[in-house]
Amino acid sequence: MISIVVIIRDNFKISYKCLQSITWAASKNFEVIIVNNGGGAIINNLINIFKAKFEQKHIKVKTIVNENNLGAAVARNQAIALASGNTFVFLDNDVFGKDKYWLKRIQKLMMSNNVAGVGPKLIYPFMPDIIQCAGGGINSKGGVLLIGRGQNKNLAN
């Protein structure tokens, strides 16, 4: 089972799009854990909207409400403690799947190649639609490298 973890603090419209893309997922063996990380009543309303949508599709959903922003690491650890899955997909609230097969592709990668982690190709959400990051690495001096940064979004990786 995969546990999808989404942490939300603000940005109702973008968070809506993220959660909506989870409802499209063609996969069936997953649960969703949503953390309201200090987002208040408006984010609780959003979570309740999607809790009902997930339940209608027979998708298990769990929620955590933090009155204050405890930071992403604490929120993720809270979700992991509540999770039933043995594989985790961490979605920031501004990330969404581009089609209904996004989760199946992740599952296939994770199960077929002894892969410890995968990351999406992130496209900046404004023109000219360039790549923010299509993976990463560490150079010999310990610096972080963002693969594909600034390149055309159609670049294969």
Side-chain angles (χ1 to χ4, degrees):
M1 159 142 11
I2 288 181
S3 296
I4 300 173
V5 175
V6 182
I7 302 166
I8 304 172
R9 185 178 56 87
D10 56 18
N11 206 328
F12 186 97
K13 286 182 183 180
I14 288 177
S15 299
Y16 188 99
K17 194 170 182 177
C18 171
L19 295 173
Q20 185 69 41
S21 77
I22 298 170
T23 68
W24 304 333
S27 298
K28 298 296 179 206
N29 193 23
F30 69 93
E31 68 179 352
V32 181
I33 304 169
I34 308 168
V35 181
N36 178 344
N37 204 23
I42 192 162
I43 298 304
N44 279 337
N45 290 340
L46 174 67
I47 290 170
N48 288 333
I49 289 167
F50 277 94
K51 187 172 183 182
K53 288 182 184 224
F54 291 134
E55 288 172 348
Q56 285 174 349
K57 292 183 171 243
H58 307 286
I59 298 168
K60 294 177 188 173
V61 61
K62 300 172 183 174
T63 60
I64 298 169
V65 177
N66 294 326
E67 295 300 319
N68 299 305
N69 179 359
L70 301 180
V74 170
R76 284 189 182 107
N77 285 335
Q78 288 175 317
I80 289 169
L82 197 60
S84 300
N86 56 0
T87 303
F88 296 92
V89 173
F90 298 106
L91 289 181
D92 289 345
N93 67 316
D94 62 348
V95 173
F96 54 91
K98 70 176 186 170
D99 60 39
K100 70 180 186 176
Y101 299 107
W102 69 268
L103 186 57
K104 277 193 178 236
R105 285 191 296 272
I106 290 172
Q107 286 175 307
K108 185 177 178 182
L109 264 173
M110 294 295 292
M111 301 309 160
S112 66
N113 298 317
N114 287 331
V115 172
V118 298
K121 180 192 298 182
L122 300 174
I123 309 298
Y124 283 113
F126 47 79
M127 295 302 289
D129 295 330
I130 58 174
I131 296 172
Q132 176 184 1
C133 178
I138 307 293
N139 68 22
S140 62
K141 295 182 180 181
V144 176
L145 304 171
L146 299 177
I147 297 168
R149 189 174 195 109
Q151 295 182 7
N152 182 293
K153 73 176 181 179
N154 296 316
L155 177 71
N157 60 342

